[in-house]
Amino acid sequence: IILKFYFQSSVLQVIEEGKKEKAIRKEIDPYILRDIILGTIEHFAIRGFILGRFPNLSEAGDHLYDQIVGGVA
């Protein structure tokens, strides 16, 4: 659980830095964006472990990046 909170905090820090550098729009809620990112990762993991359908992580990561950056920049 401690690692989970550390990771969540790290993602929030990256988002806040992105907002300061104007790489992420100022009106983007950092908590919602964090939940979108981490929720997607969690979904990939659950789908893989429960259904045995692990996505190609490199390809999935590229798609996730394109979708999120396209929507917040």
Side-chain angles (χ1 to χ4, degrees):
I1 293 179
I2 293 172
L3 183 60
K4 178 181 177 180
F5 290 122
Y6 173 78
F7 191 64
Q8 289 175 345
S9 175
S10 296
V11 172
L12 279 174
Q13 285 179 329
V14 170
I15 293 168
E16 291 295 348
E17 288 176 24
K19 289 176 75 170
K20 287 178 189 171
E21 295 176 7
K22 300 185 191 245
I24 296 175
R25 294 191 320 258
K26 65 181 178 178
E27 68 270 12
I28 296 296
D29 184 313
Y31 295 95
I32 292 174
L33 181 55
R34 178 206 56 199
D35 291 347
I36 290 169
I37 295 168
L38 296 180
T40 301
I41 293 169
E42 185 175 298
H43 175 76
F44 287 154
I46 289 171
R47 185 172 64 183
F49 286 111
I50 293 176
L51 302 177
R53 293 186 291 190
F54 286 97
N56 176 316
L57 294 181
S58 179
E59 186 177 306
D62 289 343
H63 288 295
L64 176 60
Y65 174 84
D66 291 342
Q67 294 290 323
I68 290 175
V69 170
V72 300

